[in-house]
């Protein structure tokens, strides 16, 4: 007996990447404009935050708010803490509860789930019920930056990007036949591999001349404002010694890039959207428009591949 044909279910897996995650907004806008029907959405870390807004039908209002964020507004959400992480994260989630939807995930207009990590066991935790705001808060709890979250079952949860930066496996568990994965870490290694100088060929009558190297992306503004966390006490840092925050963020970049490659090799999405975001730092939440524009560009570039699966 021939197998009956059915309409494939399409799932979207939004990846981790801190401030680079605003690119997810641009990706979702393009998919909507192109008439791509999504049957479910899941996310890890910042992907959980944007995915929750989309699942709740709040994407455009959320995008409008994100684009109003300047440095002053971003710092306004920072509730500094001395235990477990630099920031508690409660101001951000309280704002979400007041201005966007907080409801039980089971009641989501679009099926939604997100990933967190059990800090004690290292296990991957799929959050598929309970408060959507609480789930997002656990998924974005980047170690060292945000404090961990105590789950209802007693587990201590941190950022999902530690174990599954682009949660393809979760989308499949939710029933997706076709998974669109958004990888925010595809080109991140370029951020740390700028040459010091480029030497052009010598010409008759002159010697070698060093051309200026491309300016590397950095979190300079954040380093200056948070330098007390690095113990600099207002003094200029020693030559070639990065701050504590810079070391931590660079380490997270490397870790997430390596884990993303490994997980996606084992369970690749059918379609990969990979915005080029190496010029954005993990804390550049005030540069939303740049990230959104690049998300739109990358999504547009993926449309021929996506149409092959969508018929």
């Amino acid at each position: 007996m021939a197998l009956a044909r059915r309409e494939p279910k399409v799932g979207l897996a939004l990846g981790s990447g801190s401030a680079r995650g605003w690119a997810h907004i641009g990706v979702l806008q393009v998919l909507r404009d192109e008439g791509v029907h999504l049957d479910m959405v899941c996310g890890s870390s910042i992907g959980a935050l944007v995915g929750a807004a989309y699942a709740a039908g709040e994407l455009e209002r959320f995008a409008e708010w994100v684009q109003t964020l300047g440095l002053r507004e971003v710092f306004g959400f920072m509730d500094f803490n001395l235990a477990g992480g630099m920031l508690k994260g409660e101001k951000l989630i309280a704002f979400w509860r007041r201005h966007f939807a907080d409801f039980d995930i089971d009641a989501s207009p679009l099926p939604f789930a997100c990933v967190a990590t059990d800090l004690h066991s290292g296990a991957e935790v799929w959050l598929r019920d309970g408060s959507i705001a609480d789930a997002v808060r656990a998924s974005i709890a980047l170690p060292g930056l945000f404090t961990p979250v105590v789950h209802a079952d007693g587990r201590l949860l941190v950022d999902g990007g530690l174990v599954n930066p682009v949660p393809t496996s979760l989308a499949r568990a939710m029933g997706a036949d076709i998974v669109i994965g958004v990888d925010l870490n595809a080109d991140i290694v370029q951020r740390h591999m700028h040459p010091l100088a480029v030497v052009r060929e010598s010409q008759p009558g002159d010697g070698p001349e060093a051309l200026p190297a491309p300016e590397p992306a950095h979190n300079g503004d954040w380093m200056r404002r948070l330098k007390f966390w690095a113990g600099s006490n207002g003094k200029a840092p020693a030559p070639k010694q990065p701050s504590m925050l810079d070391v931590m963020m660079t380490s997270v970049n490397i870790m997430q890039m390596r884990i993303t490659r490994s997980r996606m090799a084992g369970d690749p999405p059918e379609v990969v959207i990979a915005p080029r975001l190496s010029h954005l730092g993990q804390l550049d939440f005030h540069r939303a428009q740049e990230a959104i524009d690049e998300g739109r560009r990358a999504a547009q570039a993926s449309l021929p591949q996506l149409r092959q699966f969508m018929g």
Side-chain angles (χ1 to χ4, degrees):
M1 183 177 69
L3 293 175
R5 290 178 60 87
R6 65 176 179 82
E7 194 72 21
K9 291 187 177 296
V10 181
L12 181 66
L14 300 178
S16 61
S18 294
R20 298 189 295 273
W22 296 151
H24 291 316
I25 295 172
V27 170
L28 284 161
Q29 289 172 340
V30 168
L31 295 179
R32 177 203 59 200
D33 294 346
E34 293 295 322
V36 176
H37 173 72
L38 298 174
D39 295 285
M40 63 210 67
V41 62
C42 62
S44 184
S45 194
I46 190 69
L49 179 63
V50 179
Y54 180 75
E58 297 274 12
L59 182 67
E60 286 312 308
R61 200 160 67 88
F62 184 73
E64 291 174 4
W65 169 71
V66 161
Q67 291 173 85
T68 68
L69 293 176
L71 281 173
R72 182 186 299 275
E73 288 77 18
V74 173
F75 268 93
F77 285 110
M78 293 189 174
D79 40 3
F80 290 100
N81 185 67
L82 295 177
M86 291 198 306
L87 308 174
K88 290 186 290 185
E90 301 308 322
K91 285 186 178 180
L92 175 61
I93 295 303
F95 180 88
W96 173 273
R97 294 185 198 277
R98 289 195 308 271
H99 297 279
F100 299 100
D102 181 20
F103 47 80
D104 195 276
I105 292 174
D106 289 334
S108 176
L110 179 70
F112 169 83
C114 62
V115 180
T117 304
D118 186 318
L119 186 60
H120 292 140
S121 69
E124 180 176 341
V125 179
W126 291 349
L127 300 173
R128 303 179 64 173
D129 53 30
S131 162
I132 197 168
D134 289 345
V136 167
R137 172 64 183 87
S139 189
I140 66 172
L142 186 66
L145 188 63
F146 286 107
T147 55
V149 171
V150 180
H151 192 252
D153 61 8
R155 287 182 292 186
L156 199 60
L157 302 183
V158 292
D159 195 295
L162 297 181
V163 290
N164 200 351
V166 182
T168 304
S169 55
L170 176 53
R172 296 202 193 285
M174 296 171 71
D177 301 299
I178 298 170
V179 178
I180 305 168
V182 185
D183 178 11
L184 304 179
N185 303 305
D187 71 331
I188 203 64
V189 71
Q190 296 177 20
R191 181 181 178 84
H192 311 292
M193 296 184 68
H194 293 284
L196 294 177
V198 179
V199 180
R200 71 171 174 85
E201 286 187 30
S202 60
Q203 301 296 326
D206 67 5
E209 177 180 332
L211 300 177
E215 182 181 352
H218 55 80
N219 275 319
D221 288 341
W222 294 97
M223 296 307 103
R224 287 190 292 273
R225 287 170 171 80
L226 297 177
K227 60 190 174 184
F228 52 89
W229 286 104
S232 63
N233 295 321
K235 299 177 182 178
K240 298 183 180 180
Q241 286 293 326
S243 70
M244 179 187 71
L245 191 60
D246 204 16
V247 169
M248 182 177 71
M249 290 303 176
T250 300
S251 300
V252 169
N253 279 340
I254 294 169
M255 176 196 69
Q256 290 195 339
M257 181 265 292
R258 294 295 184 184
I259 295 172
T260 301
R261 288 182 179 181
S262 177
R263 292 296 302 257
M264 290 179 68
D267 188 8
E270 279 65 38
V271 178
V272 177
I273 300 175
R276 301 183 65 84
L277 299 162
S278 63
H279 62 290
L280 293 181
Q282 288 213 348
L283 298 178
D284 286 342
F285 292 99
H286 59 293
R287 299 171 66 182
Q289 191 60 59
E290 296 174 61
I292 292 172
D293 290 345
E294 176 55 23
R296 292 186 63 88
R297 184 209 63 77
Q300 290 283 355
S302 75
L303 287 177
Q305 182 188 11
L306 181 58
R307 290 184 181 119
Q308 290 179 358
F309 287 98
M310 304 296 292

